[in-house]
Amino acid sequence: MATRRHLAAVILGSAALLLAFGAGAAKVYRWTDRSGITHYGDHVPDAPPSQVRTIPVYTEPSAIARLRIENDGDRFLAFADNRLSGPIEVQLDFSRSDNVIGRPLLPARATVAARGSALVAVLESADPERGFDFELNMESLPGDPDARPRDVDYLLPLQQAAFRIDQGYGGHFSHNDGQSRYAVDFAADIGTPVLAAREGVVMQVESDFDKAGLNREKYGGRANFVRILHDDGSMTLYGHLKADDGVLVRVGQRVRAGQQIGLSGNTGFTTGPHLHFAVQVNRGMRLESIPFRMRGPAGPLRISGGRGGL
């Protein structure tokens, strides 16, 4: 299972435009003041001087960050707001610019603490004698790029008597990119209890997806999942969880190793019911899976490029 980066954009002209979207469908409101300047906002102003136009906007339900712009005199401050209960990294860049400069120079990166905000760049006119405008995009990725994962033993993430690995390290079907190369797909019937393989904090969940299929463009990167952050900055990902009630924990909750966190399912890009498990780290705006050791009641789990077992 892949995790997509999420894009936030803002266009600034003579007035600040703030897109303060929540998850899913959102609305932006547009109106013109008495000086003829067009404004955009995430709520209807008190006593607007003109008719307010409503602009519907769709954002991904699992968007992890928001780009926020504040007017500071003759310059603009670009902030990143982290929606997750764990650190993220963001990269801000111009998609279009005219007579504007960023400090630091764009593209600029920043690490944002859990549920926190960070100033990514200050944007100002390169030539104060004339106007400027620009368009920004911001990419965001879970995890701290300075994380140093420890070599630890993970528990089996499923509560069932027998285990079968349908796709191991470097599997040709879907474990052929950086974030999934060292992932493991455990065969599991829908509704099998999913357990935390290691203690940590629930950093991110997706629980509203109910579709599955082999169309990578349509379903790739979309599935119900739980992401758990560990104290060394590494993250475990439990993917393709059951639709509706497949996630049994909440964001920000601390869980112990072996605690039930969900139910296995068949959501997203998948050939059938299974649990996708990976240990991931952020390597600087690049999410990568890493090899791991796992133990079960019968001893170490043997993982290969295809099937495996205890």
Side-chain angles (χ1 to χ4, degrees), residues 149-204:
R150 297 195 301 270
D151 186 17
V152 301
D153 285 336
Y154 290 83
L155 300 181
L156 285 163
L158 286 168
Q159 183 178 304
Q160 59 184 13
F163 294 87
R164 189 184 78 241
I165 294 175
D166 282 347
Q167 188 178 195
Y169 291 174
H172 296 302
F173 176 69
S174 61
H175 294 177
N176 47 19
D177 61 8
Q179 56 188 301
S180 295
R181 183 163 293 114
Y182 293 104
V184 174
D185 287 348
F186 292 95
D189 293 334
I190 294 176
T192 303
V194 175
L195 313 177
R198 183 181 172 190
E199 178 185 7
V201 174
V202 178
M203 178 179 185
Q204 181 185 17

Side-chain angles (χ1 to χ4, degrees), residues 21-23 61-66 68 80-89 111-118 201-205 227 229 249-253:
F21 301 150
S62 54
I64 67 175
R66 179 184 70 163
R68 175 168 50 91
D81 297 332
N82 180 3
R83 300 179 184 276
L84 301 189
S85 289
I88 65 171
E89 186 182 22
T111 302
V112 191
R115 297 291 179 179
S117 299
V201 174
V202 178
M203 178 179 185
Q204 181 185 17
V205 302
R227 181 183 298 278
L229 173 70
V249 289
R250 67 182 184 280
V251 172
Q253 178 181 346

